[in-house]
Amino acid sequence: MDAQQRAAEAARSVIARHGRRLAGLPGTHLGRIKAPSRAFSELGVWHYWWQAHYVDALVDAALREQDPDGRKAALARRVIRSIRLHNVFRYVNSYTDDMAWLALAAQRLQALDPGARHARGLDALQRTLNRRLVLASTDELGGGSFWSSARDFKNTPATAPVSLYFARSGDTARARALVDWLRGRLLDPDTGLFLDGIHLQPDGSTTVAREVYSYNQGPVLGSYLALGTPDDLRHAEELIQAVADRLTHPGGALQTHGPGDGALFTGILARYLALAARDERLSPTARDTASALVTTTADAFWAGRQDSGEGWVFPRETAGAHDPAQRDGSSPLDGISLQDRPSLLDGTVEFAAQLQAWMTLEAAATLTPARQDRS
């Protein structure tokens, strides 16, 4: 089965298992946090940013199918409407990164068919969220974007996607200021990777959160590519190599951070690595490295799948993914504890892990000769 077919199978499985109406309401569609679940069981559980990445994955599928106004795009629009309904009839959220991810997904959805009758609503959504992203990006701590309305933490999870959104919107001055702040304040010179953030304490002092997460590297890479100066492209190549050196398993697959929110992280990084792999402004070495990271990770997710009887269930971890060149019969799931494998024993499957695998498989599908598209 080729990369296109794998991505199609992942899309079919995830949508069939996790897609459902919001509280059974006609015309709505969201991803169930766990499947199966009852229609009303998740009303008090809300993962806004998971749904934003669901929109992005549906856009990926629409591009792959070369059907910009087909079923996948229609589902994506329905998810956006349902996010607003679930979020008490508004798109504004307390978390800047949530809003940035939705703004990016809506931007890509609108680009599928800019003249469609739906474009006006998507444009209004982006204007609303753009205002919030501007307000979150201040001069305190020298720049950057606040993570939440508490305004006590400026971090990469917020600043990087905000920078990318501004860059893709043509607001290059804001995008440049944010990515330069990240590079000046949160790039670890020892690893070449971006740290999590800076906490602002009540007494005015600051502490650096030194955790390194795979997804934080993704939108920074995307911002470098969107801004596109020679220095940006050089920084992009350095970041790709740092990811390859520091965030992979011995077999070459990207490290993962599951469960929960962490189960989405590596899928996000894979999206932007695939974008870099297709960018002819980068060196062949950087492009080949980015491509190998994506395809090896996609291979690990695919090889670890299980048939649930209602579609594929994918692992949330890639630990133990072996070098495809080896012929020792080892499994991509070697070294993973049973609790990290796709478990059907309790009858439920978590959405984030399945979405991550789908996103990675869609990213890999863009690297085949038949798919050399944008976004």
Side-chain angles (χ1 to χ4, degrees):
M1 190 174 292
D2 65 21
Q4 304 286 317
Q5 293 169 317
R6 288 180 177 185
E9 282 293 299
R12 180 188 62 80
S13 295
V14 177
I15 294 169
R17 182 184 304 105
H18 291 276
R20 51 91 168 122
R21 292 177 175 179
L22 171 61
L25 296 173
T28 62
H29 185 88
L30 288 173
R32 291 186 290 184
I33 304 308
K34 290 186 177 181
S37 65
R38 296 178 180 176
F40 289 89
S41 66
E42 294 179 358
L43 284 177
V45 180
W46 186 221
H47 293 278
Y48 182 120
W49 80 297
W50 294 16
Q51 307 300 332
H53 285 290
Y54 187 24
V55 174
D56 244 340
L58 287 165
V59 172
D60 290 338
L63 287 166
R64 172 176 42 77
E65 294 173 355
Q66 299 182 1
D67 189 9
D69 201 32
R71 181 171 179 266
K72 300 300 191 304
L75 273 180
R77 291 190 295 270
R78 192 173 292 180
V79 172
I80 286 179
R81 291 194 297 270
S82 302
I83 288 173
R84 181 176 179 271
L85 181 60
H86 195 298
N87 207 48
V88 198
F89 299 98
R90 61 179 188 167
Y91 292 115
V92 172
N93 197 316
S94 296
Y95 293 91
T96 303
D97 56 339
D98 285 2
M99 293 185 286
W101 290 122
L102 182 59
L104 283 165
Q107 189 179 56
R108 294 184 69 224
L109 177 59
Q110 186 174 13
L112 287 176
D113 190 358
R117 61 186 177 86
H118 315 284
R120 182 175 298 179
L122 292 172
D123 189 57
L125 178 160
Q126 291 178 70
R127 286 197 302 271
T128 296
L129 296 183
N130 187 85
R131 287 192 291 269
R132 291 289 175 157
L133 303 184
V134 169
L135 290 172
S137 306
T138 71
D139 292 334
E140 293 162 276
L141 301 182
S145 302
F146 280 114
W147 179 51
S148 74
S149 56
R151 301 177 80 84
D152 58 1
F153 189 31
K154 284 194 168 181
N155 64 4
T156 308
T159 305
V162 171
S163 173
L164 177 57
Y165 179 75
F166 286 150
R168 289 182 172 177
S169 302
D171 193 348
T172 55
R174 281 197 173 92
R176 166 65 60 204
L178 291 173
V179 80
D180 285 351
W181 180 83
L182 283 169
R183 188 168 184 83
R185 297 297 300 271
L186 288 173
L187 179 65
D188 179 5
D190 294 331
T191 64
L193 298 171
F194 288 85
L195 305 176
D196 198 44
I198 303 174
H199 292 281
L200 179 61
Q201 306 298 338
D203 63 3
S205 63
T206 60
T207 56
V208 176
R210 300 193 62 82
E211 294 85 357
V212 173
Y213 299 113
S214 59
Y215 81 128
N216 280 340
Q217 320 311 313
V220 177
L221 177 59
S223 291
Y224 283 147
L225 298 176
L227 291 168
T229 68
D231 280 347
D232 292 319
L233 299 178
R234 176 170 55 82
H235 295 330
E237 293 182 357
E238 292 167 350
L239 184 53
I240 291 167
Q241 191 58 53
V243 167
D245 291 342
R246 303 279 184 167
L247 293 180
T248 57
H249 297 295
L254 293 165
Q255 294 176 4
T256 45
H257 303 279
D261 281 345
L264 265 178
F265 288 1
T266 297
I268 294 169
L269 175 56
R271 175 188 307 284
Y272 296 104
L273 285 169
L275 189 63
R278 304 194 305 272
D279 195 321
E280 295 183 355
R281 298 171 300 173
L282 299 180
S283 70
T285 298
R287 295 180 66 193
D288 288 348
T289 300
S291 180
L293 290 168
V294 174
T295 56
T296 303
T297 306
D299 287 347
F301 282 135
W302 182 256
R305 73 196 186 284
Q306 293 181 10
D307 189 352
S308 69
E310 298 179 348
W312 300 115
V313 178
F314 298 97
R316 69 186 182 213
E317 303 286 354
T318 58
H322 65 285
D323 187 332
Q326 293 179 349
R327 296 292 184 268
D328 60 3
S330 60
S331 165
L333 295 182
D334 287 350
I336 305 178
S337 65
L338 289 176
Q339 66 189 30
D340 288 330
R341 299 182 186 218
S343 174
L344 302 177
L345 296 178
D346 63 358
T348 62
V349 179
E350 190 178 46
F351 183 42
Q354 303 311 297
L355 184 55
Q356 170 176 255
W358 175 19
M359 292 163 64
T360 304
L361 289 161
E362 291 285 4
T366 69
L367 303 180
T368 63
R371 272 287 309 280
Q372 295 295 328
D373 56 63
R374 64 197 182 282
S375 300

